[in-house]
Amino acid sequence: MPATVTRADRKALRQYLRKFSWATQDYLRTPLQRIRADLRHDTLAAAGEIGMGQALADLGDPRALADRFADEHGRRGVRGARLGVRILGGALAVACVVGAVIGLRALPRVENAGQTWTDEWFQLDPNAWEPTYLATDPADGSATMEITVRNPGPFPETITGVDTEVSRTTLHPTGPGGTIDGTQGPAQRTLTVPAGEVAVLRLTISLPCAPVAPDTTIGFTGTDLRVTMIGITRTVTVPLGANVGLRTTEQWEPPPGCVPGELG
Amino acid sequence: MVPAQRDPQLLKGVLPMLVLALLAERESYGYELVDRLSDAGLVDVATGTLYPVLSRLERDDLVASRLVASPAGPARKYYRPTPAGHAHLTGADAAWRDLVAVVQHVMPTTPAAGPDDTQE
């Protein structure tokens, strides 16, 4: 007498086939989908005659059935080995992605290609242990130096100076020889520098818009730039090539209406 | 008479041939084939044993299948040997008979008990 296949029977069959698929997916050479479809069809047909419980019981343990199919169809490889290859492949892929991200984040950079002490106030300090240029009591409370920065490539970079309370940066297009050339355009806050090319950065160091006690030195060893390459932005500190300082030997009182970083 | 315990490895070796032989006699669907094998004396062959064999025979083009509508439940998948299956069956049959001849030739001369069992 034909048996009725209920919804619960179909659910039981789905669960069985899920276990079977899991047990076979790693090493069955013949496409699993076809075998699974045949198995589903034949089991439903058998369940129509003897009931789903008996039909599944006749199939036996899904893992044992998977083994029998693998015996007949051939195995692709040892499951553990394939799993190991997958884990190794996954780890390599993750490492590649992490490496690429780290590499790209480190990509935007600029190099110091030389500096000039353009302001007469800067003097080499003979008493310093390291090369140190000091501007002592500059007339308007500020002194300026130039740094030639180079984009080492491989892509164009957009460079923006990062100002502080006591420093201000402007960027100047350069002409032949890498020197400031007024015909190339005015000073800018942001400048795009082609790969391998240079720009001149003028760094003005100022006493702050606040009272400063006598014999105070404001020192720098580098200046920050915000550098964008292929959409990745990074703040890069460009070394100044020496210690640079602004020294006041007298009490400093800022002028009325003082704007931080814009003295002089 | 109590039937002798059947070696699964022996069965595994001859089952494809038996399946081909039964299908050559009359096309059948999987569960019906289990019944036919059972009627022939192979009561320990279940669908879980038969389906992988049928699947491999079909993959190797030794059997072909067709769906036949059934009044009770889904359509049945009926199998029958292909020409290659018939040829394979002929070869398997000859090889089997040859093996049986050898086995029968050897078996009567084999002592029923080991040498140790005959010593006093």
Side-chain angles (χ1 to χ4, degrees):
Chain A
M1 178 184 169
T4 305
V5 178
T6 65
R7 183 176 292 181
D9 289 339
R10 289 178 184 276
K11 185 180 176 187
L13 178 58
R14 276 199 303 275
Q15 287 174 343
Y16 183 95
L17 291 175
R18 196 175 300 128
K19 291 176 186 172
F20 172 78
S21 298
W22 171 247
T24 56
Q25 62 186 347
D26 280 343
Y27 55 82
L28 207 56
R29 189 171 285 168
T30 298
L32 175 63
Q33 289 88 345
R34 205 191 76 199
I35 289 176
R36 189 185 149 116
D38 282 350
L39 202 52
R40 180 178 182 279
H41 185 272
D42 290 342
T43 307
L44 275 173
E49 296 185 21
I50 56 172
M52 185 59 77
Q54 187 59 49
L56 291 180
D58 285 349
L59 287 178
D61 180 79
R63 282 162 297 196
L65 182 62
D67 269 347
R68 284 194 287 273
F69 268 100
D71 284 345
E72 291 292 337
H73 285 265
R75 294 168 193 268
R76 280 197 304 200
V78 179
R79 183 190 184 111
R82 289 178 52 76
L83 188 63
V85 168
R86 283 185 184 184
I87 290 171
L88 186 61
L92 279 174
V94 169
C96 286
V97 169
V98 169
V101 168
I102 291 173
L104 286 173
R105 286 180 66 84
L107 203 54
R109 62 190 196 279
V110 288
E111 297 171 346
N112 180 335
Q115 59 279 322
T116 310
W117 315 102
T118 56
D119 209 307
E120 62 185 17
W121 295 99
F122 279 118
Q123 298 293 323
L124 185 64
D125 181 357
N127 300 316
W129 288 51
E130 294 175 328
T132 302
Y133 285 84
L134 284 178
T136 305
D137 296 327
D140 54 5
S142 69
T144 299
M145 63 178 293
E146 287 178 3
I147 308 148
T148 302
V149 291
R150 195 175 81 89
N151 169 12
F155 302 104
E157 287 178 335
T158 300
I159 301 173
T160 304
V162 178
D163 294 343
T164 70
E165 199 176 326
V166 292
S167 68
R168 179 177 168 83
T169 308
T170 54
L171 290 147
H172 301 259
T174 58
T179 57
I180 292 177
D181 183 347
T183 63
Q184 303 295 321
Q188 297 173 32
R189 301 291 294 154
T190 296
L191 188 66
T192 298
V193 182
E197 296 295 318
V198 298
V200 171
L201 180 153
R202 271 197 170 145
L203 174 66
T204 300
I205 303 171
S206 309
L207 289 165
C209 291
V212 176
D215 292 324
T216 300
T217 300
I218 299 168
F220 288 80
T221 56
T223 186
D224 287 348
L225 298 176
R226 192 162 292 118
V227 184
T228 302
M229 178 185 276
I230 54 171
I232 302 166
T233 300
R234 193 163 77 100
T235 298
V236 179
T237 300
V238 180
L240 299 181
N243 297 327
V244 178
L246 192 61
R247 185 164 180 262
T248 176
T249 57
E250 301 172 349
Q251 174 72 26
W252 164 256
E253 294 295 337
C258 176
V259 176
E262 288 196 355
L263 287 176
Chain B
M1 176 182 161
V2 179
Q5 180 126 14
R6 193 167 285 126
D7 183 347
Q9 292 304 317
L10 282 178
L11 178 62
K12 187 178 174 185
V14 297
L15 188 56
M17 179 179 70
L18 298 180
V19 167
L20 278 173
L22 288 177
L23 293 178
E25 192 178 288
R26 169 164 55 88
E27 69 172 356
S28 291
Y29 59 94
Y31 190 73
E32 184 186 40
L33 206 46
V34 170
D35 275 346
R36 292 177 65 191
L37 286 165
S38 178
D39 291 345
L42 293 175
V43 292
D44 45 358
V45 175
T47 51
T49 306
L50 180 68
Y51 287 161
V53 173
L54 275 175
S55 177
R56 199 257 296 166
L57 290 175
E58 190 174 27
R59 185 202 66 182
D60 294 346
D61 290 328
L62 298 178
V63 299
S65 64
R66 67 185 181 111
L67 288 175
V68 177
S70 165
R76 307 281 191 254
K77 191 176 182 184
Y78 278 78
Y79 296 90
R80 67 184 186 285
T82 61
H86 282 292
H88 184 86
L89 178 60
T90 304
D93 182 40
W96 171 253
R97 290 180 194 285
D98 181 60
L99 180 62
V100 167
V102 172
V103 172
Q104 284 180 337
H105 176 72
V106 172
M107 290 303 284
T109 62
T110 303
D116 291 346
D117 297 334
T118 59
Q119 290 177 356
E120 293 284 323

